[in-house]
Amino acid sequence: MNDLDLIKVKKAIKGDDNSFTELISSRKEKMYRIAYSYVKNKEDALDVIQESVYKAYISIKKLKKKEQFDSWLIRIVINNSINLIRANKKSVNLEIEIEDSKQGKYTIDEKLDLHSALNSLDNKYKEVIVLKYFESLKFKEIASILDIPVNTVKTNFYRGLDKLKIDLKEGYINE
Amino acid sequence: MNNKKNMDNLKEEYHDMKMPDELDDYINKGLNRGRDKMKKDKNNIFKKFSVGVAAALLMFTVSVNTIPGFASTMNEVPLLGNLVNILNITDSEVEGGVITDGTDISYIGLIEEDDADYIVINFEDEEDQQAFVNSFKVDHTEYPNTLTFNIGGARRFSAMEYFDDINKSDKIENVYNLITLDDSLIRFSITLKDNYDITIKEYENPGHMVVKIKDSEEDSEESSIYSLRSKSYEFGEQIGHIEESIFEIDSRRMLLDSDGKYFIEANYYNTLEEAEEAKQNLKEDFPAIEDFIIEERTNKDIPSNY
């Protein structure tokens, strides 16, 4: 985190509304992406965002180390995402997902394969891949966010990647 | 199909995820709910608080009305506010206050009454009088009778310029600032002339402390003690470093000598033999103790300059 953000975090812990709002605002896309990777639809992801911002606002004063603001915030988003999934037990709707993702250079088939492969992974593999590979977090940071040992994070990441390759290959073989 | 390449595509896609137009609305909803909640909680604290200390406040009102001169000084010294805590210093230490940062200990004042002397300490944050008292710890030690105030989260000490006013109390020998190498901690000590009953009241809105110094029923001890102490030094980093070097000794304290210089006392003992033995033992772990001396004092003696 840069120095300016650290100052903002310090102020926010002391109750400065503006600093907190700015911190959240500059992280809103990241929060949304993480929430979306869990709940997989726009409406639920937005609900998770609202709840997470609320929870962060009322508990920032308890944040002990200002350097840990980002990990702390991601953890709140993940916890709220998991709570929401548990609460509504919604099944994943792949169509919504494709509709929402940017239409690019790749065919829907290609995307669908990777998406479905990633989504069919156990949550424990998927979350470390999202945080490590997509959000470029360090293994140590992921360990503190998910509250699991660093070695478990590494194991889950590499196993997850392996599984992904296997699943993809199998998919093509079946084709 | 190249899996690695495809993972990169997916990563790119992840980062290109379309942000819904409503994202800001939902962020603001969360922020506003947080603001509402905090406001409500704050009000609740005051509600709960005002019921809880109604009796204490009533007593305070009575004393304001019955002590002559107390009410009149109210105009000069901001004694208004809600009582948070009443702390009786029986033997060693009391704590209270709220964690803050960058506070100025802005004012210290003396109110002399027939039954007791009152010392008022005020706090200011960047803009105004602070709503709460900083987190504090007050140690009460003997030989000489000393109240040491440790005020956390404070960076300025404007109240120092009022020290002379405090010295006017005939119960107070002197008041002095202690150097500390921790720049968010401010410490000062009040040397008392005798044994007194000490009560500390903590107030909020505005935050201030009132220290009541009342004549005690108990006579002070006349016997001597043997203090294991350093030589005297000017106010400065050197004395701070000596204190740090024996930081693990809980009984350590920084005192002012009769010459206005500072020294560190590791502990004091009932007999000279005990003091000498302690010195031998302690210097193995704390080399600074090697240069320490042993001074005999009674409870009413002010330490000498060495």
Side-chain angles (χ1 to χ4, degrees), chain B residues 70-127:
Chain B
F70 205 114
S72 63
T73 34
M74 296 267 292
N75 298 329
E76 299 160 36
V77 184
L79 270 182
L80 297 160
N82 299 329
L83 186 61
V84 181
N85 218 342
I86 302 179
L87 305 157
N88 276 305
I89 296 202
T90 42
D91 32 42
S92 57
E93 60 172 57
V94 294
E95 291 178 329
V98 172
I99 293 171
T100 51
D101 189 25
T103 304
D104 179 23
I105 305 171
S106 54
Y107 177 82
I108 182 164
L110 174 74
I111 303 169
E112 287 175 285
E113 295 298 338
D114 290 343
D115 68 326
D117 282 1
Y118 297 84
I119 294 171
V120 183
I121 304 165
N122 278 57
F123 301 87
E124 280 174 24
D125 56 25
E126 282 138 29
E127 287 118 37

Side-chain angles (χ1 to χ4, degrees), chain B residues 124-137:
Chain B
E124 280 174 24
D125 56 25
E126 282 138 29
E127 287 118 37
D128 205 345
Q129 276 202 307
Q130 193 168 281
F132 302 96
V133 169
N134 280 36
S135 69
F136 67 87
K137 183 162 85 72

Side-chain angles (χ1 to χ4, degrees), chain A residues 134-169:
Chain A
F134 294 169
E135 287 295 345
S136 307
L137 292 177
K138 295 194 176 80
F139 282 127
K140 227 172 107 187
E141 290 169 330
I142 299 169
S144 103
I145 290 166
L146 299 173
D147 200 17
I148 53 176
V150 179
N151 280 338
T152 313
V153 176
K154 289 183 187 170
T155 312
N156 289 350
F157 178 68
Y158 294 121
R159 270 201 201 140
L161 282 185
D162 282 348
K163 277 188 178 291
L164 208 53
K165 281 174 206 159
I166 292 163
D167 287 353
L168 283 172
K169 270 181 207 152

